[in-house]
Amino acid sequence: MNIIFINCTSNYPYSFSANNSKIGLFAKGIKTTNKDINVTIINTSFGKVPQEVKDKDFHHKGIRVITYKNYGYKFLMLLRNIFKACNDIARNKKSKNILILCGGYFPIQYLYLIVGKFNGYKIGYIYQEWHRGFKESIIKQINYYMMDTLFPKASDFVLPISEFLIEKTKPYNKVYFKLPIIGDFHVPQISNFRPTEKNYFVYCASIAYYDVAILIVDAFSKFLENGKEDYSLCLVLYGDKIKISQLSSYINKKNLKSNVIILSSLSDEDLFACYCNASALLIPLNPNIITEKARFSQKIAEYLSSKCVIITTAVGEINHYFTNKDNLIISNYSIEGFYLALKYVSENKQKIREIGLRGYEFGKKNFSYKSVADEFLQFLNVTYQ
């Protein structure tokens, strides 16, 4: 069997992103489950990726990785790379072929879909966003509409990541496999990194979720006001440096500088240690945003693998998998709600350790890259035997 993931990753395996993490682990799981399967990841050349003056074709942990050059006049470069990708799809086909696409620029992705079908590939579509929930320009809205309608319809099978997106898939009468978050639950803690000697909470996310970061800072401020000065808040943020600077200014205005730490560049080992040594890991999901209901954040898999308790909200997939105070802590999406959750963690340390361990065991059973890949391959064997 031959499985190609195309335009699902950017600068894999060197850049950190949710997609890179998930697709990398998914591919690793497939290869681990069946070493005879050829697995290839073709990185996108679009967007803000490092300049490459030549194509790269190498193997990483048994997975073939192709990155096309990202250098020179952009339009001509893109045309060249699209041609190269189509050629790689055609010349790498075997006796049984699967091409897996994600969201992106629909004309280009649809071209890959057509080339794949012409060359005998079964087409899978990772349906990971309700794109029409985003409020963007008319051009982007057209693109989003196509990703939500054309691709589930034109693909041979769909990989929706949530119950919400399964319901959006059903009208197209396509076979589907629910693709959840994917984690590695056997990562050893090889770093002793701690951002502070105090007890601390962690929030790790893109600064694009600026309003969520503000909510967390405000909840933590109230937590400190109620006699919890022995705690710190660690914000691990990436993205727009101007927005990060604005958040830092907000923190200073609230006189929280001595208790709030902003980090923006950690190694994988130090980030994992930061999770493991924390009192709780925070991931507020806004129940008023429809795209949050459609998602299942890959960050939750990373958090679960650390054995540290998670504080989140009852939005989307959280309701389908987790139980409050059993395998994580569920809070209201409000300053008061997260303040009370932080307070509960600080006053119930033994219970919190037990909840964190149950969350880890639950994640290991349901979201391990090996188990997800094994179930996916069973799905393919039954569907295309």
Side-chain angles (χ1 to χ4, degrees):
M1 184 185 291
N2 177 44
I3 299 177
I4 297 177
F5 294 89
I6 187 164
N7 272 16
C8 297
T9 54
S10 178
N11 197 38
Y12 175 85
Y14 303 114
S15 294
F16 173 80
S17 72
N19 270 3
N20 282 7
S21 174
K22 184 169 187 172
I23 299 303
L25 285 171
F26 194 22
K28 179 182 176 181
I30 292 169
K31 193 67 178 178
T32 302
T33 303
N34 188 337
K35 290 182 169 53
D36 293 329
I37 296 176
N38 294 308
V39 184
T40 302
I41 292 175
I42 300 179
N43 280 312
T44 180
S45 293
F46 310 109
K48 296 179 180 179
V49 296
Q51 283 197 344
E52 296 288 355
V53 297
K54 61 180 181 179
D55 297 336
K56 290 185 176 181
D57 189 337
F58 60 96
H59 280 77
H60 175 73
K61 297 181 179 179
I63 310 300
R64 185 184 180 194
V65 180
I66 299 174
T67 301
Y68 304 120
K69 74 175 184 179
N70 180 31
Y71 183 78
Y73 186 60
K74 190 170 184 179
F75 180 71
L76 293 178
M77 176 201 73
L78 293 181
L79 288 179
R80 171 199 180 269
N81 291 346
I82 291 167
F83 175 80
K84 291 277 289 185
C86 292
N87 186 54
D88 278 328
I89 292 169
R91 68 187 180 89
N92 285 297
K93 62 183 178 180
K94 309 293 181 184
S95 58
K96 190 175 183 180
N97 301 284
I98 305 291
L99 183 67
I100 298 179
L101 304 161
C102 297
Y105 299 103
F106 87 86
I108 298 168
Q109 296 291 72
Y110 198 63
L111 174 62
Y112 295 152
L113 183 150
I114 292 170
V115 170
K117 281 184 174 289
F118 182 79
N119 284 278
Y121 285 78
K122 294 296 183 182
I123 309 299
Y125 174 54
I126 299 180
Y127 198 2
Q128 58 189 6
E129 294 275 12
W130 178 239
H131 301 87
R132 282 181 283 173
F134 296 109
K135 304 301 180 185
E136 298 283 358
S137 65
I138 295 296
I139 297 298
K140 287 187 177 180
Q141 286 293 334
I142 293 171
N143 188 72
Y144 291 158
Y145 178 82
M146 292 298 185
M147 299 311 300
D148 285 335
T149 56
L150 181 64
F151 279 83
K153 185 177 182 178
S155 300
D156 295 296
F157 64 93
V158 183
L159 304 175
I161 68 166
S162 66
E163 294 296 322
F164 180 99
L165 293 175
I166 285 174
E167 292 304 312
K168 300 298 182 182
T169 300
K170 286 180 178 179
Y172 301 106
N173 295 315
K174 297 291 182 177
V175 291
Y176 64 85
F177 172 83
K178 186 179 182 181
L179 184 65
I181 54 177
I182 303 175
D184 186 347
F185 292 86
H186 299 281
V187 177
Q189 184 182 340
I190 60 177
S191 167
N192 293 316
F193 175 79
R194 291 180 62 95
T196 175
E197 291 304 312
K198 295 181 179 180
N199 297 313
Y200 65 92
F201 306 108
V202 173
Y203 172 64
C204 177
S206 166
I207 193 60
Y209 295 98
Y210 182 85
D211 292 343
V212 177
I214 292 292
L215 182 147
I216 290 172
V217 169
D218 288 345
F220 181 69
S221 177
K222 184 169 183 178
F223 177 77
L224 292 181
E225 290 169 2
N226 284 271
K228 301 294 184 178
E229 288 288 336
D230 55 333
Y231 278 81
S232 290
L233 173 64
C234 178
L235 303 174
V236 184
L237 304 172
Y238 54 92
D240 189 333
K241 292 181 180 179
I242 294 175
K243 294 292 286 184
I244 292 175
S245 179
Q246 289 174 357
L247 180 63
S248 180
S249 297
Y250 181 80
I251 290 165
N252 292 339
K253 287 179 183 178
K254 292 182 73 70
N255 296 317
L256 297 173
K257 188 175 181 180
S258 61
N259 287 87
V260 179
I261 303 157
I262 296 180
L263 300 174
S264 58
S265 180
L266 289 177
S267 67
D268 291 345
E269 294 79 12
D270 285 351
L271 180 60
F272 186 64
C274 186
Y275 293 164
C276 292
N277 294 324
S279 296
L281 307 174
L282 316 180
I283 181 165
L285 305 172
N286 191 334
N288 301 313
I289 299 178
I290 193 168
T291 52
E292 294 283 284
K293 298 176 182 178
R295 289 178 181 146
F296 193 7
S297 174
Q298 179 65 17
K299 184 63 64 182
I300 291 172
E302 295 174 26
Y303 280 2
L304 288 171
S305 67
S306 72
K307 302 180 184 177
C308 182
V309 72
I310 298 171
I311 303 176
T312 188
T313 43
V315 177
E317 292 300 285
I318 299 300
N319 296 303
H320 295 287
Y321 287 101
F322 300 99
T323 303
N324 187 31
K325 298 182 181 177
D326 175 37
N327 42 24
L328 49 61
I329 302 296
I330 294 178
S331 165
N332 292 326
Y333 186 79
S334 65
I335 294 170
E336 180 69 14
F338 268 79
Y339 155 67
L340 292 174
L342 299 179
K343 183 172 181 287
Y344 180 82
V345 168
S346 69
E347 295 174 354
N348 296 276
K349 293 183 179 180
Q350 181 56 39
K351 285 184 180 179
I352 290 303
R353 279 192 288 270
E354 293 169 0
I355 295 170
L357 285 172
R358 287 196 294 271
Y360 169 83
E361 292 298 334
F362 182 83
K364 183 179 177 181
K365 178 180 178 182
N366 293 278
F367 309 131
S368 163
Y369 69 89
K370 293 180 181 179
S371 61
V372 172
D374 182 60
E375 290 176 12
F376 174 65
L377 291 177
Q378 290 181 42
F379 162 79
L380 289 181
N381 289 333
V382 169
T383 307
Y384 301 113
Q385 55 184 332

